Amino acid sequence: KQWYQRRVRGKMKVQLVVLLLFLTLSLAFEYKLEIRTGWKNNAGTDGDVFAKIEGKKGSFVNFKKIDNPHRNDFLKGQIDTFTAHSMEDIGKIKCLILSTNSRDKWMLDKAVAWRSGSTEKSYFYNQGTFLSSEPREGVSQLKLCEQGTQTYYIT
């Protein structure tokens, strides 16, 4: 009888852990980051690039090292998409922070960030700055923030 009770309690603990894990994953917010590498010569990199986004609520979503396994990311003119999860809604995305520890310089052309399921996207544009841990090549961290919400049309 004791053996059976311990076995039942053990199964219940495992089921509870599985249930908590399921609830945690189902409540998480998914964020997407689409990055286009610049078109200039030497804009691409094989170095490590790290990203995080900042929301209007003051919280961050850390994408950590952005890398798609089995794909050569950050080629000149190429668009790469990355995913991260957070337990909280950070609100409207206001800034993108990119960093590197690599001496192999890289240039972002533009980036788009959004929370999955939302139609609201945030757009970030680089003004020709290279990202590199080598000070003569560029900056090791680049913070790009929303410049406004006004849309202008060229006619």
Side-chain angles (χ1 to χ4, degrees):
K1 185 175 178 180
Q2 286 179 330
W3 172 83
Y4 178 74
Q5 287 175 336
R6 274 188 254 143
R7 185 171 177 215
V8 169
R9 272 188 253 141
K11 280 186 176 181
M12 288 177 65
K13 286 180 185 176
V14 169
Q15 289 172 340
L16 182 60
V17 168
V18 169
L19 177 63
L20 289 173
L21 182 61
F22 173 78
L23 290 174
T24 300
L25 291 175
S26 65
L27 295 175
F29 293 93
E30 181 179 78
Y31 290 88
K32 297 283 190 176
L33 180 60
E34 183 181 274
I35 289 183
R36 184 168 72 193
T37 296
W39 294 95
K40 285 188 176 182
N41 286 337
N42 302 312
T45 187
D46 287 323
D48 294 339
V49 178
F50 303 86
K52 60 183 173 180
I53 52 176
E54 180 181 358
K56 294 254 184 203
K57 295 180 179 179
S59 299
F60 294 87
V61 173
N62 193 346
F63 281 75
K64 300 180 182 169
K65 178 181 169 186
I66 50 178
D67 180 50
N68 288 310
H70 313 296
R71 177 178 162 92
N72 192 359
D73 299 314
F74 310 119
L75 296 178
K76 180 179 172 181
Q78 179 174 289
I79 296 173
D80 298 295
T81 304
F82 306 96
T83 304
H85 294 89
S86 174
M87 289 305 298
E88 63 182 302
D89 177 4
I90 64 169
K92 179 164 175 37
I93 299 165
K94 70 175 191 173
C95 293
L96 167 65
I97 300 128
L98 298 166
S99 61
T100 189
N101 55 12
S102 174
R103 295 175 67 128
D104 186 14
K105 67 182 178 180
W106 172 68
M107 181 185 283
L108 166 80
D109 177 37
K110 75 171 190 172
V112 184
W114 68 95
R115 191 182 83 214
S116 293
S118 172
T119 58
E120 188 172 56
K121 294 184 176 185
S122 296
Y123 297 84
F124 305 97
Y125 300 92
N126 186 11
Q127 301 297 315
T129 303
F130 275 94
L131 196 64
S132 174
S133 66
E134 174 58 49
R136 293 184 312 238
E137 297 283 334
V139 297
S140 60
Q141 181 173 300
L142 183 62
K143 184 173 184 177
L144 303 169
C145 294
E146 174 181 72
Q147 297 297 308
T149 58
Q150 182 66 39
T151 302
Y152 296 93
Y153 297 95
I154 300 172
T155 56

